[in-house]
Amino acid sequence: MKKPNVLLITSDQQHWNTIGAFNEEISTPHLDRLVREGTTFTRAYCPNPTCTPTRASIITGAYPSQHGAYSLGTKLLEDRHTVGEDFLDADYRTALIGKAHFQPLASTEEYPSVEAYPTLQDFDFWKQYDDTFYGFEHVELARNHTNEAHVGQHYALWMEKKGCHNWRDYFLPPTGTMDRSEKYHWAIPEKYHYNTWIAERTNSMLAEYKENDENFFLWASFFDPHPPYLVPEPWDTMYDPDDLTVPKAIPNEHEHNPPHFKMTQEENPDFSDYRETQFGNIGYHSHAHISDEEAGENMAVYYGMISMMDKYIGKILDQLDHLGLADNTIVVFTTDHGHFFGQHGLHDKGGFHYEDLIKLPFIVRYPGHVPAGQSSASMQSLVDLAPTFLRFAGLDIPRTMTGVDQSEVWLGQQEEARDHIICEFRKQPTKVHQKTFVDKRYKLTVYYNQKYGELFDLENDPNELNNLWDDANYLTLKSELLLKYVWAELGKEPLAMPRISGA
């Protein structure tokens, strides 16, 4: 049997309920096609609700607390084993087009980063770059979300090559000259947008693999719909906020939550007690300044960003068909973590492990193998991707990988491969360090050195409005879940080798 190819397509920070097949308020015809042709997993989760930790988990098959890139501003150390290395050893070609974010925007002598300034915008460096990058023998990278000044690397080179010599007009200072006050509408022509670049370069790689009759592991890594909320016409006006169901906080819903939840709803909260390094904490600030009107506009443009991205995902799927690769290619679509656009009075992301932030869209297509048009509530974690891809390719799963093999679940031959999820979040050595345990019904969140926590009954309280942590009626349940969580932590410890002797 011919080994399958693997095409991983990811968005960045996409709420789980933003696929048109399940949400009539948004249009995603090409993701809907994947839904029809594959299996949608409705209980997929990230191992961390921020970029670097989860993206490193995707390629290592290990949790952030294990691979070491535990927060934004850290890096995945180069000695960590990645799935790309296993594919290369098996004569697969490997490539990453788009966002990596395995390394921080700053570089030190001890922890150098090629994704940092000034290397980020050293175009001579990127013109000549041909090193293998975390198991990807070919990379074409960028680092900016929409108009951020971090633009550079291969994306800027591509814009120049395409004749967009004034590309700096579309990006913020100090790199560019775009007015910081411009919101929602991005004047960049669609033909120069990074969605176009990612699809074009992905399709070029697919054609090369087809011509050379090579197996491949290819990651097409999109940047949207991560804020800032900006998208070119006509996508910026595709949705009317008045036609959307814009989430809002429920009055007093944070009364029984840990204190940092309620503080986000204050005008000028003091989060200094949560900081013990020079770096702040994602999401630990006031969310109260965003009006209902602004939240609606944000959501409308966020939806427009998804719909535009969907168009270019469609171009990649069409290329698979055109090249005759679709039948032998496992396609997985997912995102790195979710997003708030008003749920619980929150916006963007942070240390708030609601389903909105840690649950993901997740679709698998493999014609003739993965059941088509099906939906499954089997639990999935992004940490499972690497071992599952290797098993489909008939390759051994390294002992460093602590994710589980989901291949038989994807094939419809097994009901489940895991009965729980662990999600981590750590921004400070001790002050912001939490973990969440999720099983089929309940969600438990514990905080390092704190007696407060969260306990939600997802069956009876799917919107997570009633924290049962301090409810005397649930003390026995809390004790049981705490024990299950400890078991889960023990169970995910890697074994570097089997025991080969009695002593």
Side-chain angles (χ1 to χ4, degrees), residues 118-139:
T119 305
L120 185 73
Q121 295 171 339
D122 182 345
F123 298 125
D124 288 336
F125 175 87
W126 293 108
K127 283 177 185 177
Q128 302 172 35
Y129 190 83
D130 62 357
D131 292 346
T132 298
F133 189 61
Y134 294 102
F136 295 103
E137 62 179 346
H138 179 88
V139 293

Side-chain angles (χ1 to χ4, degrees), residues 171-294:
F171 298 91
L172 293 176
T175 303
T177 59
M178 184 174 169
D179 186 345
R180 292 183 181 275
S181 67
E182 293 183 38
K183 296 180 66 176
Y184 303 130
H185 170 67
W186 196 11
I188 190 170
E190 186 171 327
K191 63 182 178 179
Y192 301 132
H193 191 278
Y194 44 60
N195 286 344
T196 309
W197 165 64
I198 291 169
E200 178 184 299
R201 297 304 304 144
T202 296
N203 285 350
S204 177
M205 296 305 302
L206 291 172
E208 180 180 318
Y209 298 142
K210 171 65 175 180
E211 182 178 355
N212 296 328
D213 193 26
E214 295 171 314
N215 278 118
F216 59 84
F217 167 51
L218 174 58
W219 185 357
S221 181
F222 287 87
F223 298 84
D224 284 356
H226 188 296
Y229 303 102
L230 279 173
V231 72
E233 61 181 4
W235 310 96
D236 58 326
T237 57
M238 181 174 179
Y239 296 96
D240 184 341
D242 292 337
D243 295 333
L244 302 179
T245 304
V246 183
K248 297 181 182 180
I250 304 299
N252 302 316
E253 71 167 284
H254 296 304
E255 284 299 315
H256 301 292
N257 286 340
H260 66 285
F261 286 83
K262 192 174 183 179
M263 292 170 67
T264 64
Q265 306 307 298
E266 300 172 3
E267 288 293 336
N268 295 293
D270 180 5
F271 278 102
S272 58
D273 286 345
Y274 292 84
R275 188 167 171 168
E276 56 191 312
T277 69
Q278 62 178 309
F279 303 107
N281 302 307
I282 299 294
Y284 283 52
H285 55 76
S286 174
H287 294 233
H289 62 282
I290 297 179
S291 66
D292 291 347
E293 180 181 6
E294 184 179 359

Side-chain angles (χ1 to χ4, degrees), residues 5-253:
N5 306 307
V6 177
L7 174 61
L8 174 62
I9 304 174
T10 58
S11 59
D12 190 349
Q13 196 163 314
Q14 184 176 353
H15 189 276
W16 65 267
N17 191 27
T18 51
I19 295 178
F22 310 107
N23 179 355
E24 63 182 10
E25 294 185 0
I26 191 170
S27 174
T28 57
H30 303 289
L31 291 178
D32 295 355
R33 172 187 169 187
L34 281 181
V35 169
R36 292 192 304 271
E37 297 175 351
T39 296
T40 301
F41 291 92
T42 60
R43 298 206 66 188
Y45 291 83
C46 63
N48 184 294
T50 53
C51 297
T52 297
T54 273
R55 290 170 178 273
S57 288
I58 288 174
I59 60 172
T60 61
Y63 289 84
S65 56
Q66 297 168 334
H67 60 59
Y70 64 91
S71 171
L72 296 178
T74 68
K75 68 179 289 187
L76 181 64
L77 299 176
E78 285 84 355
D79 64 352
R80 300 309 194 249
H81 185 82
T82 68
V83 67
E85 298 171 41
D86 297 308
F87 277 120
L88 286 176
D89 288 344
D91 294 324
Y92 273 68
R93 305 277 64 81
T94 63
L96 168 61
I97 310 294
K99 178 176 178 175
H101 204 168
F102 304 140
Q103 299 186 353
L105 284 168
S107 188
T108 67
E109 185 174 342
E110 185 176 6
Y111 302 108
S113 169
V114 298
E115 295 191 66
Y117 291 97
T119 305
L120 185 73
Q121 295 171 339
D122 182 345
F123 298 125
D124 288 336
F125 175 87
W126 293 108
K127 283 177 185 177
Q128 302 172 35
Y129 190 83
D130 62 357
D131 292 346
T132 298
F133 189 61
Y134 294 102
F136 295 103
E137 62 179 346
H138 179 88
V139 293
E140 297 181 41
L141 305 176
R143 187 55 190 274
N144 57 292
H145 306 104
T146 62
N147 67 341
E148 288 178 340
H150 310 320
V151 62
Q153 296 169 287
H154 297 94
Y155 174 45
L157 292 173
W158 175 84
M159 285 189 286
E160 288 273 3
K161 184 177 180 180
K162 289 292 181 178
C164 185
H165 301 300
N166 68 325
W167 59 267
R168 294 178 187 270
D169 293 346
Y170 308 118
F171 298 91
L172 293 176
T175 303
T177 59
M178 184 174 169
D179 186 345
R180 292 183 181 275
S181 67
E182 293 183 38
K183 296 180 66 176
Y184 303 130
H185 170 67
W186 196 11
I188 190 170
E190 186 171 327
K191 63 182 178 179
Y192 301 132
H193 191 278
Y194 44 60
N195 286 344
T196 309
W197 165 64
I198 291 169
E200 178 184 299
R201 297 304 304 144
T202 296
N203 285 350
S204 177
M205 296 305 302
L206 291 172
E208 180 180 318
Y209 298 142
K210 171 65 175 180
E211 182 178 355
N212 296 328
D213 193 26
E214 295 171 314
N215 278 118
F216 59 84
F217 167 51
L218 174 58
W219 185 357
S221 181
F222 287 87
F223 298 84
D224 284 356
H226 188 296
Y229 303 102
L230 279 173
V231 72
E233 61 181 4
W235 310 96
D236 58 326
T237 57
M238 181 174 179
Y239 296 96
D240 184 341
D242 292 337
D243 295 333
L244 302 179
T245 304
V246 183
K248 297 181 182 180
I250 304 299
N252 302 316
E253 71 167 284

